[in-house]
Amino acid sequence: MKVSIRKLKPNTVLPNFATTHAAGMDISACIDEPITLQPHERAIVPAGFAIALPVGYEAQVRGRSGLAARHGIMPANGVGTIDADYRGEIGVILLNTSNETFIVEPDMRIAQLVIAKYEAVEWDLVEVLDETDRGNNGYGSTGK
């Protein structure tokens, strides 16, 4: 699948797959100077590119497991969604969940981008939903 992408700065590192079978493309910080994230602070880190997704697709901005495991750095909104009609610069809202200062360096890999197909739905308002074995049981009801 081809997706149009536009570099917004000459030094932009375009999203790229680190390995042959990776699902997510690495997103790098497109900054001229380091950004300091104090403990429990968040900041939008620009990525330096914009994309034009086809209708029916979204781009998911996800965390990098190494940053989360080693430094407590993750996207503040869990998984960010980029809609097919958005044409602005992609940014990553990074949150420092640790008690230590973290420095985001220029060109540092800060997140992953996964392109996913989705279905638009129309709600069918009903009085009763069909029955299942699980029913209303949730929040840990399927085991420990």
Side-chain angles (χ1 to χ4, degrees), residues 18 25 52 67 69 76 87 99 114 131:
M25 295 169 270
L67 282 179
R87 295 296 182 270
N99 293 321
V114 175
E131 297 287 328

Side-chain angles (χ1 to χ4, degrees), residues 19-30:
T19 64
T20 305
H21 300 290
M25 295 169 270
D26 288 332
I27 298 175
S28 297
C30 188

Side-chain angles (χ1 to χ4, degrees), residues 59-103:
Q60 300 172 1
V61 177
R62 301 181 182 184
R64 296 193 71 238
S65 57
L67 282 179
R70 289 193 280 284
H71 305 287
I73 303 298
M74 59 189 62
N77 54 341
V79 175
T81 296
I82 300 161
D83 297 309
D85 57 352
Y86 179 66
R87 295 296 182 270
E89 181 172 13
I90 305 301
V92 180
I93 309 166
L94 285 183
L95 172 64
N96 181 355
T97 66
S98 78
N99 293 321
E100 312 235 343
T101 299
F102 183 80
I103 309 288

